[in-house]
Amino acid sequence: MAKLSELLKETTTFLKEKGIGEVDFGLILGSGLGELADEVEDAIAIPFSEVPHFAVSTVVGHAGKLVYGTLSGKKVLAMQGRFHYYEGHSMQKVTYPVRVMSALGAHSIIVTNAAGGVNENFIPGNLMLITDHINFTGDNPLIGENEDEMGPRFPDMSHAYTPEYCEVTKKVANAQNMSLQEGVYMGYSGPTYETPAEIRMSRVMGADAVGMSTVSEVIVAAHSGMKVLGISCITNLAAGMQSSLNHAEVVETTERVKAQFKELVKATLAEL
Ligand SMILES: O=P(O)(O)O[C@@H]1C[C@H](O)[C@@H](CO)O1
């Protein structure tokens, strides 16, 4: 099997030929949240399907494009949509874009997602600053041989969600009179939504929100030495807390709060 560093060389050479230069921040835009990439200035957009060694995104609300350019004065490489483990991709494939962002020079990523609210104080439409996560997917993208030039064998996850970035985001939300919840994101594999019993367990375990992405991306970001800001859009109450769950509601809620979400990310990015 080809080494990760060799695959990355092919991908970054392709992207540089397309005009992609230095990157400061990688952005991963979750279900229904991809519109932020439409605000990138001097944009170069490339469908995932054209990028060597990228998977293809199959989920409604995920446009499946890489967008490079300037946002809030920073050079960004945004993923309009992401890959999920439940689509049948390996964790390594799901997180490959984070490796690419790092290889292009990104020192930080901003990850966003749609998530179900477990915390009883949350309501659909809330934005939640992710302060920590629980990897409940049953897998880990770092399983396998460690390429030491990519990062350490045993990465420290004590401060995976960069505390200074959390502070800046809270200050920005406050200055804009925007309500911002905070809490722990618990990542399941999906694609089933959780059962009510799993949600009761998640609450006891310390989760404030549940979702089907993000944890593997953040593990690879930590492995690569990147700083991380994570924001969830609470699109629904978790299983057992409302009558039923569906993806149409998830996308509808992101539609309703996208203006506020975009404002928070742009204003925070300007301060990072
Ligand atoms: O990509 P994210 O985590 O934003 O999307 C969530 C998880 C599933 O893909 C989908 C379920 O409705 O939304």
Side-chain angles (χ1 to χ4, degrees), residues 29-34 59-62 82 84 112-114 247 250-251 254:
L29 303 170
S31 286
L33 300 170
V59 185
V60 174
H62 289 251
R82 59 152 59 84
H84 301 86
T112 69
N113 58 58
H247 187 61
V250 168
V251 175
T254 57

Side-chain angles (χ1 to χ4, degrees), residues 61-255:
H62 289 251
K65 266 190 289 178
L66 261 186
V67 182
Y68 175 73
T70 305
L71 188 69
S72 303
K74 307 281 164 47
K75 285 289 175 198
V76 300
L77 182 64
M79 284 184 79
Q80 232 173 2
R82 59 152 59 84
F83 310 126
H84 301 86
Y85 189 54
Y86 64 72
E87 292 173 83
H89 309 304
S90 66
M91 284 277 178
Q92 287 77 13
K93 202 81 178 165
V94 166
T95 55
Y96 185 70
V98 180
R99 296 286 185 198
V100 172
M101 289 165 177
S102 175
L104 289 169
H107 52 73
S108 303
I109 57 166
I110 301 181
V111 269
T112 69
N113 58 58
V118 174
N119 185 315
E120 285 162 327
N121 296 319
F122 291 0
I123 54 167
N126 281 168
L127 296 179
M128 182 190 91
L129 176 68
I130 308 177
T131 54
D132 204 348
H133 78 215
I134 298 172
N135 177 10
F136 204 67
T137 62
D139 202 346
N140 189 305
L142 304 184
I143 289 176
E145 189 193 340
N146 190 59
E147 287 182 40
D148 291 339
E149 68 271 29
M150 296 288 154
R153 174 73 288 190
F154 301 110
D156 182 14
M157 295 294 289
S158 305
H159 308 287
Y161 295 82
T162 308
E164 306 103 84
Y165 282 9
C166 290
E167 285 314 306
V168 171
T169 311
K170 286 196 267 188
K171 277 198 192 120
V172 167
N174 203 24
Q176 301 208 350
N177 274 331
M178 214 181 254
S179 95
L180 180 65
Q181 306 283 10
E182 59 182 280
V184 173
Y185 174 96
M186 185 166 183
Y188 279 81
S189 69
T192 48
Y193 290 111
E194 301 72 29
T195 64
E198 286 165 345
I199 293 304
R200 288 194 296 275
M201 174 197 70
S202 298
R203 190 175 298 114
V204 170
M205 289 171 90
D208 295 289
V210 286
M212 305 176 196
S213 64
T214 303
V215 294
S216 58
E217 297 154 355
V218 172
I219 288 169
V220 166
H223 186 241
S224 310
M226 296 165 98
K227 293 184 176 179
V228 174
L229 169 64
I231 301 174
S232 291
C233 174
I234 305 298
T235 52
N236 54 279
L237 301 181
M241 301 169 72
Q242 62 177 49
S243 59
S244 61
L245 271 62
N246 63 76
H247 187 61
E249 182 194 6
V250 168
V251 175
E252 247 166 63
T253 308
T254 57
E255 201 48 38

